Amino acid sequence: MTDQTDIPALMKDIGARARAAAAELAFAKPEAKKAALEAAAEQVLARAEEIKAANAKDQEFATEKGISPAMMDRLKLDDDRIRSIVDGLRAIAGQDDPVGAVMTEWDMPSGLNIRRVRTPLGVVGVIYESRPNVTADAGALCLKSGNAVILRGGSEGLNSSTILTECLKAGLEKAGLPVDAIQLVPTRDRAAVSEMLKATDYIDVIVPRGGKGLVGLVQREARVPVFAHLEGIVHIYVDKDADPKKAMEVVLNAKTRRTGICGAAECLLVHEDLKDGLGREIVAALAKAGVTVHAAPEFQDVEGAVAATDDDWGREYLDMDIAAKTVRDVDGAIEHIRAYSSNHTDGILTENKATAERFFERVDSAILVHNASTQFADGGEFGMGAEIGIATGKMHARGPVGAEQLTSFKYLVVGDGAVRS
C-alpha cells in the first residue's frame, strides 16, 4: 500500500489503478456487471450490523467535529436506510445496460452505415460530504455504466464508506471484474481533494456532491471537467387554480419530509388571490409544523412567521426554514424564480393545464414538477435506482445523473470497400 502520508503519490497510485481498471471494465459483459451489483447488495445486507456500528463511530466523530443537524441527518445510517441502499443496488442491477446501446443509426448514399453508440466516460471522481449512501450509489452507477470510480467521501463518514466500498469490491471480485474499478480514498487529508481536481491524466470527470462551499471549491479549482449543482434553491408556486388539499399536502411534504436534501423546498410563492385564504392557511400549517417562515409583509402577522430580509430570497436553508411571499400570477412566479433559482428543481401546484404548461415552458431548471413534491428530485424516484448527483449545467448531463448520463458516445462507421471520391 502506498504511504498515506505522501498524498500526491497515493493519489497517483489510485488514479493509475483506476485508469487500468476502466480500460477493462469498458467492455465487461452486462451479465457480469449485474452479478457484481447483486453480490454487493447481498454483502451490504449481510454486513448491516457492522455498517451500523461503523456509522455510530462516524456519528461520534461528527458530533465532536460540530457538524450541523442537516449534515448529521445525511450521515446517519439505520436499518431503513441500509435497506434502501440494498434496494438501490438491486434496482441498478436490474436496469438495462447503457454501454453499447445504439442511440441512432442511419445509412449514407456513399454506402456507409453509421451508428452512434453509448460508451463509458472512463474514470469518474466523486467528492462528497457526509452521506455514506453516496458511496454505494456512485460505485454502483459507475460500475453499471462501465466507468471506474474514485470516491472521496466526507471525513465524518469514512468508517461507513470503507465497509460499503468493501461490499462493492466483494461484488466485483465475485463477478470476475477488476476490484480497482471502485476505490475509496483512504485518508481524511484534504490534500487528496486538491490532487483529484488536477488529475487530468487519470480522471475524466469530477462529480461534487455536498454544500455550496464544497461545490464552489470544486468548480473554481478543478482542471478536470465537472458535473455539479452549486445549491438547491427550490421554489414551489401555489397558483390560484390549485387544489387546496393537494397544495397543503405537497407543500408540507416538500419542506418538512427531509430538510437537508437538495430537493427540499426553500421558497413558497403564492398567487395574490390566495393571500387571505389558502396561502395564509399553508403558511400557518408550516409554522405549526415547526418551520420558521421568513415572510413578506402580507404573511408576517401569521403566528410563527418572522419578517423576511433581502437575504431570504435565493437562500438554501437546508433546515426547518422557508421564505414565503405572494406573486401576481404565474408570470410573477416565473420572474421571481428566474431571479433567484439555482436551476435545480422548481414546482407548480395548479389544476389549470395551460398554466402548468406555461410554467414548464418558461422556467429553465433541470427538474420541474407539477402537482408533486419537490422531494421526488432524485434518481431513485426517477426509476434510475439512484443518482450520483444532480447536474444543473447544460453540457452533457442535466438533472439526476444516473448510469445513462455517465456515458458519452462514439460513432461506428461500416462500409463495404467504400472510398471517397
Side-chain angles (χ1 to χ4, degrees):
M1 177 59 123
T2 303
D3 182 3
Q4 290 187 23
T5 62
D6 186 347
I7 301 302
L10 171 68
M11 298 310 297
K12 184 176 180 179
D13 177 63
I14 289 173
R17 288 189 283 123
R19 178 61 72 194
E24 186 176 343
L25 194 64
F27 55 83
K29 298 295 183 185
E31 298 79 15
K33 290 187 277 186
K34 181 178 180 181
L37 290 167
E38 289 175 342
E42 290 302 320
Q43 281 286 307
V44 173
L45 204 55
R47 299 183 69 177
E49 293 303 316
E50 195 176 346
I51 292 168
K52 286 191 291 184
N55 188 249
K57 292 181 181 178
D58 287 335
Q59 290 183 62
E60 183 178 348
F61 176 83
T63 299
E64 293 174 358
K65 190 177 175 182
I67 71 169
S68 68
M71 295 281 277
M72 187 66 82
D73 176 64
R74 293 181 177 194
L75 173 65
K76 183 180 178 181
L77 291 178
D78 54 20
D79 288 330
D80 288 341
R81 293 187 182 180
I82 291 172
R83 184 77 229 184
S84 292
I85 290 173
V86 172
D87 291 345
L89 290 169
R90 288 174 174 166
I92 295 166
Q95 292 174 351
D96 292 338
D97 195 299
V99 180
V102 178
M103 300 168 69
T104 187
E105 181 177 6
W106 66 96
D107 294 311
M108 294 297 293
S110 59
L112 298 180
N113 172 263
I114 303 174
R115 286 174 291 155
R116 186 162 68 231
V117 302
R118 293 197 178 279
T119 186
L121 295 172
V123 178
V124 179
V126 186
I127 302 170
Y128 52 104
E129 296 172 333
S130 295
R131 300 172 67 165
N133 67 293
V134 174
T135 303
D137 291 349
L141 288 167
C142 287
L143 169 57
K144 186 72 175 184
S145 53
N147 297 293
V149 63
I150 299 171
L151 302 161
R152 204 291 182 178
S155 60
E156 62 278 1
L158 184 60
N159 293 299
S160 308
S161 290
T162 297
I163 298 179
L164 288 169
T165 302
E166 290 172 1
C167 293
L168 293 167
K169 283 179 168 289
L172 289 168
E173 187 173 19
K174 185 173 182 179
L177 296 174
V179 293
D180 285 337
I182 300 174
Q183 298 182 74
L184 178 72
V185 176
T187 176
R188 290 187 169 104
D189 195 322
R190 292 184 178 181
V193 173
S194 296
E195 291 298 319
M196 288 179 70
L197 297 181
K198 61 186 180 184
T200 53
D201 289 341
Y202 303 112
I203 298 176
D204 294 284
V205 66
I206 292 282
V207 182
R209 188 160 178 182
K212 184 176 181 179
L214 169 67
V215 179
L217 169 72
V218 171
Q219 291 179 324
R220 286 192 307 272
E221 299 188 7
R223 292 171 56 193
V224 179
V226 177
F227 293 164
H229 75 269
L230 192 61
E231 294 177 283
I233 302 170
V234 176
H235 298 80
I236 192 159
Y237 166 59
V238 182
D239 184 57
K240 67 181 177 63
D241 295 320
D243 177 278
K245 184 174 185 295
K246 290 179 189 176
M248 181 68 74
E249 292 176 354
V250 169
V251 172
L252 284 170
N253 182 269
K255 178 69 260 182
T256 67
R257 174 187 165 269
R258 287 186 68 187
T259 59
I261 67 172
C262 57
E266 306 289 22
C267 182
L268 171 67
L269 303 173
V270 179
H271 192 289
E272 63 183 6
D273 288 0
L274 304 179
K275 179 180 68 173
D276 297 321
L278 180 60
R280 181 173 295 272
E281 291 169 10
I282 292 174
V283 170
L286 285 164
K288 185 176 180 181
V291 178
T292 299
V293 181
H294 300 258
E298 58 268 27
F299 292 134
Q300 286 176 12
D301 62 340
V302 175
E303 185 177 354
V306 299
T309 68
D310 289 344
D311 293 337
D312 286 308
W313 314 116
R315 181 173 176 182
E316 184 182 37
Y317 296 102
L318 297 175
D319 210 337
M320 289 288 278
D321 295 78
I322 194 169
K325 65 177 292 188
T326 58
V327 290
R328 68 180 186 275
D329 56 14
V330 66
D331 288 335
I334 291 167
E335 288 173 11
H336 182 94
I337 291 168
R338 284 177 177 172
Y340 295 104
S341 175
S342 59
N343 302 118
H344 185 294
T345 301
D346 294 293
I348 181 172
L349 292 157
T350 187
E351 298 303 303
N352 187 313
K353 184 179 179 181
T355 301
E357 289 176 350
R358 187 176 183 87
F359 185 88
F360 275 14
E361 177 184 61
R362 300 190 178 206
V363 177
D364 190 27
S365 295
I367 303 169
L368 297 173
V369 296
H370 173 209
N371 285 351
S373 173
T374 57
Q375 297 256 342
F376 284 106
D378 70 63
E381 298 298 329
F382 279 35
M384 298 176 181
E387 112 267 322
I388 201 170
I390 305 289
T392 55
K394 298 182 182 180
M395 302 298 288
H396 187 70
R398 199 173 195 215
V401 180
E404 184 177 287
Q405 288 73 33
L406 290 171
T407 61
S408 183
F409 54 82
K410 59 186 176 184
Y411 292 91
L412 305 183
V413 183
V414 179
D416 186 18
V419 295
R420 185 171 178 179
S421 61

